Structure formats: C-alpha cells, structure tokens
Amino acid sequence: MIRTLALFIFAVSASAPVFAEESSPPWSMADQYFDADEMAHARHHVLDHHGDTRQFYVMADRLEVQSSDEGDTLVWEGNAWYGGDVNKLWIKSEGDYSLESDELEEAEVQALWSRAISPYFDFQGGVRYDLEPKGRTHAVLGIQGLAPYWFEVDAAAFLSSEGDVTARMEAEYEFRLTQRLILQPRVEAELSAQEIPELETGSGLTSFNAGLRLRYEFIREFAPYVGVEWQGSFGGTADYLEAAGEDTDRAVFVAGVRAWF
Amino acid sequence: MFNRRRFLQYTAAGMATGAIAAPAWARTSGEGNFGIPMLRGNQFDLTVGKFPVRINGRATEATGVNGSVPGPLLRFREGDEIKLNVSNTLDVDTSIHWHGLLVPFQMDGVPGVSFPGIRPGETFSYKYAVPQNGTYWYHSHSGLQEQSGHYGPIIIDPKGADPVDYDREYVLVLGDWTYGAPERLFAKLKKHSDSQNFQQRTVGDFLHDVSAEGLGKALDDRAMWGAMRMSPRDIADVGAPTYTYLINGRSTADNFNMVFNPGERVRLRIINGSAMTLFNVRMPGLPMTIVQADGQHVKPLEVDEFQMGVAETYDVIVTPQVAEAFAFVAESIDRSGQAVATLGPKPGMRAAVPQLRAVPTLSMKDMGMDHAAMGHGQMEMGAEEPAAMDHVTMDHSKMDHAAMGHVMPDPHGPAVQMVSMEADIETGPGVANIAAMPMSRLDEPGIGLDDVGHRTMTYSQLRSLEPNPDTRAPGREIVVHLTSNMERYMWSFDGVKFSEVTEAIRFHEGERVRLTLINDTMMPHPIHLHGMFFDLVIPGAETSGRLPRKHTVIVKPADKVSVDITAEHVGDWAFHCHLLYHMAAGMMQVVTILPAEAMPMADHQGHEMVDHSTMDHSSMPQGEVDHSKMDHSKMDHDAMSEEDMKR
C-alpha cells in the first residue's frame, strides 16, 4: 500500500513538469511589456476559452402519456450531462408511472462517465440504480452515438448486484417532413442472459418496442408530439405475463413533449 | 478631375453624431450620412460598454464601443501616430483588436497573446503608427463580444494621392445580430450542432429529387451523405431566423440609405464585421469595380457579385448613370436571409428588395472526395495554366507524413529546396474527416455562386495594384489542416484545439515562408493571420509579382490554399478562423515571429511533427546550430529534418 502510494506520488511529480504550462509557456513575448503573472493568467484564460469550455445539458427525450385499454401510464426518458468535448458526466433516467393505480411501476437512474472514442461514438461506463422494482444496482457498460445513415443508437449491458446480465438497445431515426415537423421511428429491445424469476423475466429477448412519433419543433428546444407504439414481450417473459393473465403485446397511443436546454 | 465632396460629408456626419452620441438607430440616414458616428484625428477616447439599441425595430441590448452598433468610424491618416484610450465599463474584460493594421504586437489587442486584456473599470492606451492606408476595422477579441456589437470600421486616408478616383464614399459594415446571448448560442451549437439550421433537406426535397433524377440517383445521393453523417445543407452553422442581417446596424426594414448624383463614382467600403456569416454581395443592375481587398489596392476588376468572408474588406466603385434606386444586397451564404440597403438619387428611397435565391447544396467536391471531378479539374487547370500542375499533382493523402521533411521542389524559384512540414492527422473525436484529395479552388467564386448567371469574383482574378514588396521564393512550407467534427461542434487546426496547444507555430524574422492551408472540413473558413499581410499564391501567377495581399482568406471546403509570408514583425500573433464560434471552439493558434538575432534553439523543431514534450532541450548544446548567421530564405532544412527523425 505504502509502496503503491509512493509510486503514485513519484508518477505525479515526474509528470508534473509536462503539465506545468507556465514552466514553458507556448508563447511569452508580451511578458516583456506587461506583468508576467498577469500575462500567464490571461494566457491560461484564452487557452481555456478556446476549446475547453464546459456545457451543461438537460434533455427530456420522451416525457409522455401512453394510453391503452389498460389505462394511462406516464413514461419518461431523460438525459443530463456536464462536461467538455471528450469527457462528460452523463446521467440517464427512465421510468413508468401508472396513472391508474397511482404508483411507480419502473424507475431507474444511471450515472455514467462518457468518453468520446471516435468521431461519432462515446463509450459509457458507470452505475445504474433501480428505484422500482426492488432497488437493484448494476454496473453499466455502453456505447452511444450516431451510426452511418443518421441512426442514433444507444446500447448498454448491465451486470446486476445479483449477478444477472441484461442488455438494452435503442435506435432512432428522423424523417424531416419540414424544417420543424419531424417523424421519428424508434425501436428498443431488451435482452437477458438468464432467467430472473423475481423480476418475471425470461432469458433471451425479453421485450421489443417499436414506435413512431411525430413532433413539431416550435423552437428547436421544445417540441410536443403524438405517436403510436407497439410493445411486445417474448419468450419466458411472455410466459410469465400469460400466466398472470396479461397480454403479451399491446399498442399504445402516446402524447408528450421533447425538450432540452 | 472629380470634385471630392467627402470632407463636407464627414463634417456633417461628425457633427450630427459627436463622440458619444445617440445610438445609431436613432439617427436619420439622410444625404451623405455614413450611418455611423465618425471620429477622426490621432487622439481618441473610446468607451466599451452595454447600451440599449433597436435592431430591426426591436429593442435589445448591445455590447460595443461608444454606444453604437457598429462602433464609431475611426478615420486615421497614413503615417500618423495614433493614441486610443479605451475604457472598459463592462463587468468583464474587454479588448480591441485593430484588424489588418500593422501595429506592434503588444498593441494588437488579443488577451493572453499580445496583452493581458482590459479589466473592468480600467483604461488601456493603445499607441501605434499607421504605415498603411485603406479600409480596415476593429473588434473585440474578448469572449463573444463581437457578436453583441463590439465592432466598427477604420479608414486610413493615404498620405499622398489616392490611386482610387471617386466622388463620394460610404462605409458599409455587414453584421449578423442575435437577440439572445451569444454564450447561449454557442452552447446550443455545442449541444445540437445543427439546431440553428432551418434549411435541411426534407422528405419533400427527396421526392422532388426522385421525380427529377430518378429514385436510384436520389437514394444514392442520400446514402452517400448518410454514410458520411454529413449534410449537404451544412453551409452556415447559424442562419436566419436566429440571425437578423445588418448593414451599418440596420436591417432591410431599416433600409440604410445612400444617395448619389447620376454619373458620380461612388466608393463603397464594404467590411464584413459579422460573427459567423459569409455574405454574397451584389447590386442588381449595377456592376461593381473592385479596387481594394483587405485594405490593399488591387487592379480594378469589374464584377456583378462576390462572396465575402467574415473580416474581409472590399472597396468597390459603382457609377450609376440613371436616377434610380439601386439595391445593395448582402445575402448570407446559406441564403437564409439578407440585408438590403438603398443607393438612390434622393434620400429615403427604397430599392426593390430581391427574393432570396434557392438554397445552395454542397457537392462531393466539397468533401474532397469526388475523384472523377478532381481529375477533370486537374486537367482543366493543367491545360490553362501549366504551372498549376505542380501544385495540384501533390497528393498529400498518398504521402508518408510520418517521414517528415519531404522535399518539394519549387518550380519557379532557384534551386532552393523547400522543406514542407505537415502534421500527421488522424480521424478521432475532433476530426471527422480528412479531405482525400484537396486541391486549389482559388478559381471558384464560392459556394452557391457557380451558376448565378453573371460575373462573379474569384480570388485568382485579383492582382495587387502595387508590385509585391518581397518576391523571394519561400524557404519553408508549413502545412496546416483545418479540422473539425461538425457533429460534436469541435473545430481545430491539425486536430489540436487551441486549449490543447503546447507550442506556437514559429516563423523567423526575415524569412520567406509558405503557409499552406488544407480544409478537411465541409465549410468555408475565413482564416486570419494577425500582424502581417500574406501574398495569395495563385496557380499560374506565382511569378507575376502582383499577387493579392490579404489579411484574411476564405479556405473553401476541400480547398488547398497557399500564402507566402515575409516574417517581418517580431512578436506573438493570433492566427484563427474568423467565424467566432469556430474560434471559440478551438480553431486558433499563435504564430510567433522570432527575432533574427535571438534564436537559440531556432527552428530545430519540425513544428507539428515532433513531440516536444519528449524532447530534452537541455542536453542540446546551445549554438550547435547557429541560425542567426543563416540565410533563412535559402536554408536547407534537410539536415535538421533527419536529425529530428532520429528522435
């Protein structure tokens, strides 16, 4: 332990001169005319403000009411991040709230480190915590980005505190009907590597949703939408639902807003 | 000889406005009005602050100089010693950069590069001589203040006779206005880079293309752009309606007014002072004769339209013969909007405002990918201008960039071997694309102007009126790639953002150096180098001795532009894309001109090619290479390059 710490300190001190900008500033001729400390400060500032600014982003990608024969459900899926061009702290949350039974059916939040690894893709890793059901914690590994032909994709694998491995994949596309009216097909698939009886989940493909949403961007940051979505369950998961006397697939109408800041 | 009435006009404009006058919008634009308050002499007191303005009829707040947008016209005389006291009443730092003026570098006004900046409540005195004449401008180099109105024109009257003959003159400062905070606009671009573009291709455009070209071709085209994840309509990052386009702070509705008497030669000094907008400038029914570019006289060139990069200036002469109102049209390059002023025989007239033309669409050529078209262009150029072949046949994509110091023979100079230094660029988060086959596009008028049906200016048509002061062949070539990832809104030189820069680009006092700019992005970039003029190397005219001298040059998508520079003015000089948000995102560098007598390490480095962080300079015996005694113009860098390669 002490050795590791000593090595760490050695590594940090050895690498320090490389990062100590002012030991060899990239330019410094103005130091002859102005206070060198003031110039160093201004130099640091101009560098930071030309390429290293941080942004804070919040987006409600889907904030919608889903209506079907079984009643209305409030569904959300949102993101927030803070960071620069390459590294970001990324928060994701999604969940369902039944307006019939007035209870939270599903809710989760993820905290991820997101790193740009190619022009269009970010690697994401971190933790997911399930508020509902059952308060499980998962390790998350994922990829998010823009695939060729403008498909927005997000794929992640989850390893739960119970040792279960699951995965989720989403893809979206946008048809621009006009500059502000946009038709967005969206698919989402969930998979499980094993049966998880306590979650009534079978192994293999557990669910698949396919939706079509039509939004109008009054401004780019705010767009209400309407749409339809087909939601199906498969394999062992479907068996659990059938056993409980529930439908394994259904179509819902959706109405909601997409907003970002 | 024409009777010059301009002095009377100045007086009128000056009297009407005063030093700190009512905002520009509050004044009438009557006869002989510059539309901008004017200050002249050699002592100036300027105040930077926030103030209310009315733009396009809507009340808003500006940040600028002496309470007007644009700031006051500063009128100097060539050879004068100028002193400007600039007071900062903002609660943040400010600065003024004198764009195109050959000032000592510590007066150049770039915080963190040439001076510390002007703190809130402080006054900074700029002192410099003006050894030049022409049309220039000034603007803030702090934060995003330029977008909020912190810019204004400069005219330097020649000491002797003006080679340009004219009866009256007007200054036209083009601008782009946003009612929101520029920081917020930048943040939106960072978050959704296409969010300010309301001219994207739609399903309707697809159906139109299907009926015009057939399904296969329309699908192929979409597939090609889709595979690249790029948009052929990505011509301007920000357009209308986010922007309201302005001429002297006035929108089309505000109708900036100029008057003339038929037969008069009217000189228009046009300055693109916008933050992000390249403009197409035309005056329907009135040919324009370009007499000056970037403050430097050029051989008169009559055209009907020209494209103007941010920070470029052009002086044109128009000679309307009939007593009619003519429109002066500044159309944004993406044709999302325009600003129209009127030149009429009486004040208060309104020229017919032309319809916005069809939105241009980028082609494969803009990707630097159309090999068939490239080959064709190459042949054409070769046939017309054999000298151009040497340039276009240099295919960097096939070169081994790692093997640095590749020697390029200069076809025109003496037996001097020009060493070329080029970084090895790789795609990654900040670099989405590398132009496979960049080539000179100096003979093209710019995006959207290929087929407008009248005479358009190309850079290759420009020739300096005065002979070039230095016609030596360059001893070195420094290649800089303009790089980006539009999707992440990352912009850089050689894939390195300004925030990541660890060393400046180095020139040596007295050397003649070639700077070659290769645009790996799909947007045109107006690239500006502070503190010096560069000679635009026009294929076929390299030895003309009349290359146009500029401070800012548009580098078109997949373009390869070379400029030759005489490194004269020792100092640290900013070098950047003049699109404000590209610069803010990192498309900036510093060019250091090292004094001839003090070059201990001289140019031991192959600039971008060598990782200096791993170099141990201390072990290098000083004076091993004594550059101070070398003639840099004939310097053979091969030996050093080999040495660098061994590292």
Side-chain angles (χ1 to χ4, degrees), chain B residues 188-247:
Chain B
K188 287 186 201 178
L189 290 168
K190 276 282 185 192
K191 293 166 185 179
H192 291 274
S193 61
D194 60 351
S195 62
Q196 305 309 307
N197 183 344
F198 289 86
Q199 303 196 129
Q200 318 216 38
R201 290 209 290 194
T202 62
V203 171
D205 292 328
F206 174 70
L207 296 175
H208 177 267
D209 289 354
V210 168
S211 69
E213 302 164 3
L215 179 65
K217 202 158 174 244
L219 275 176
D220 280 353
D221 183 62
R222 264 64 181 181
M224 186 268 290
W225 287 97
M228 298 280 295
R229 285 158 283 192
M230 295 207 181
S231 162
R233 291 286 182 79
D234 182 15
I235 291 162
D237 297 346
V238 187
T242 306
Y243 276 154
T244 301
Y245 299 104
L246 304 177
I247 298 170

Side-chain angles (χ1 to χ4, degrees), chain B residues 276-290:
Chain B
M276 286 293 284
T277 309
L278 285 78
F279 284 102
N280 299 322
V281 172
R282 68 189 201 277
M283 296 190 72
L286 205 53
M288 301 177 287
T289 302
I290 295 170

Side-chain angles (χ1 to χ4, degrees), chain B residues 202-382:
Chain B
T202 62
V203 171
D205 292 328
F206 174 70
L207 296 175
H208 177 267
D209 289 354
V210 168
S211 69
E213 302 164 3
L215 179 65
K217 202 158 174 244
L219 275 176
D220 280 353
D221 183 62
R222 264 64 181 181
M224 186 268 290
W225 287 97
M228 298 280 295
R229 285 158 283 192
M230 295 207 181
S231 162
R233 291 286 182 79
D234 182 15
I235 291 162
D237 297 346
V238 187
T242 306
Y243 276 154
T244 301
Y245 299 104
L246 304 177
I247 298 170
N248 291 347
R250 291 164 171 84
S251 68
T252 303
D254 297 335
N255 191 26
F256 176 67
N257 241 251
M258 303 174 277
V259 294
F260 71 96
N261 292 319
E264 279 183 329
R265 286 169 63 86
V266 182
R267 179 177 190 165
L268 306 178
R269 297 175 181 265
I270 308 158
I271 299 162
N272 187 347
S274 67
M276 286 293 284
T277 309
L278 285 78
F279 284 102
N280 299 322
V281 172
R282 68 189 201 277
M283 296 190 72
L286 205 53
M288 301 177 287
T289 302
I290 295 170
V291 293
Q292 214 182 70
D294 290 5
Q296 309 298 296
H297 293 115
V298 294
K299 289 186 178 172
L301 174 69
E302 190 178 293
V303 298
D304 298 305
E305 183 166 10
F306 59 93
Q307 195 165 87
M308 217 177 155
V310 175
E312 287 189 300
T313 75
Y314 285 95
D315 283 25
V316 304
I317 299 287
V318 293
T319 315
Q321 301 292 347
V322 293
E324 278 175 19
F326 293 93
F328 173 90
V329 185
E331 170 195 69
S332 69
I333 189 174
D334 66 344
R335 298 182 185 168
S336 61
Q338 61 188 357
V340 182
T342 300
L343 174 65
K346 300 190 304 251
M349 292 181 78
R350 160 93 274 177
V353 174
Q355 290 284 307
L356 284 168
R357 298 177 294 187
V359 179
T361 296
L362 296 174
S363 68
M364 286 294 269
K365 199 173 178 183
D366 298 305
M367 270 185 197
M369 296 261 302
D370 191 0
H371 290 260
M374 290 290 146
H376 182 59
Q378 204 169 346
M379 275 162 61
E380 265 183 6
M381 284 183 71

Side-chain angles (χ1 to χ4, degrees), chain A residues 6-258:
Chain A
L7 270 174
F8 177 75
I9 290 168
F10 175 76
V12 167
S13 57
S15 62
V18 178
F19 298 107
E21 186 227 334
E22 292 314 316
S23 67
S24 65
W27 56 85
S28 58
M29 286 212 204
D31 294 12
Q32 301 161 36
Y33 300 93
F34 306 99
D35 181 75
D37 287 343
E38 255 196 283
M39 274 311 297
H41 182 264
R43 193 161 45 234
H44 192 73
H45 188 269
V46 76
L47 285 167
D48 262 15
H49 282 73
H50 292 81
D52 202 22
T53 47
R54 310 292 159 88
Q55 303 294 340
F56 176 60
Y57 175 78
V58 184
M59 181 184 220
D61 198 13
R62 292 185 297 141
L63 181 59
E64 65 194 22
V65 173
Q66 298 190 346
S67 303
S68 69
D69 301 339
E70 296 156 37
D72 292 352
T73 308
L74 181 69
V75 174
W76 78 87
E77 181 182 357
N79 290 295
W81 57 252
Y82 173 80
D85 292 326
V86 174
N87 292 301
K88 292 177 173 77
L89 171 65
W90 204 299
I91 307 291
K92 297 181 182 182
S93 178
E94 60 180 83
D96 304 351
Y97 182 89
S98 168
L99 297 171
E100 293 302 303
S101 55
D102 244 357
E103 63 181 0
L104 203 55
E105 291 182 331
E106 276 178 40
E108 63 166 63
V109 59
Q110 298 179 34
L112 307 166
W113 169 57
S114 181
R115 182 176 171 83
I117 51 166
S118 78
Y120 300 103
F121 282 93
D122 292 351
F123 161 86
Q124 298 180 332
V127 292
R128 164 182 148 191
Y129 181 72
D130 295 349
L131 299 147
E132 194 62 45
K134 291 199 178 142
R136 288 181 174 217
T137 306
H138 310 248
V140 185
L141 274 184
I143 288 281
Q144 181 168 355
L146 185 65
Y149 310 103
W150 300 101
F151 288 96
E152 293 262 11
V153 296
D154 183 358
F158 307 97
L159 172 64
S160 80
S161 43
E162 315 291 313
D164 302 320
V165 174
T166 55
R168 185 187 295 152
M169 278 169 278
E170 294 176 28
E172 294 174 0
Y173 188 80
E174 294 188 345
F175 288 104
R176 229 168 253 287
L177 302 181
T178 73
Q179 298 300 329
R180 294 173 189 273
L181 188 65
I182 293 154
L183 184 66
Q184 184 206 55
R186 178 179 179 280
V187 293
E188 177 178 345
E190 295 202 358
L191 300 103
S192 179
Q194 64 288 302
E195 193 170 339
I196 312 172
E198 58 270 41
L199 297 179
E200 299 187 341
T201 299
S203 68
L205 179 66
T206 53
S207 73
F208 182 83
N209 298 349
L212 201 56
R213 288 170 177 78
L214 181 67
R215 72 172 186 264
Y216 187 83
E217 295 183 344
F218 283 98
I219 55 171
R220 290 285 189 236
E221 295 95 316
F222 181 81
Y225 62 81
V226 293
V228 290
E229 187 166 277
W230 181 86
Q231 303 168 341
S233 298
F234 299 90
T237 312
D239 295 341
Y240 280 111
L241 288 170
E242 275 173 358
E246 289 179 40
D247 292 338
T248 59
D249 66 278
R250 60 176 183 166
V252 297
F253 289 99
V254 304
V257 293
R258 177 184 187 268

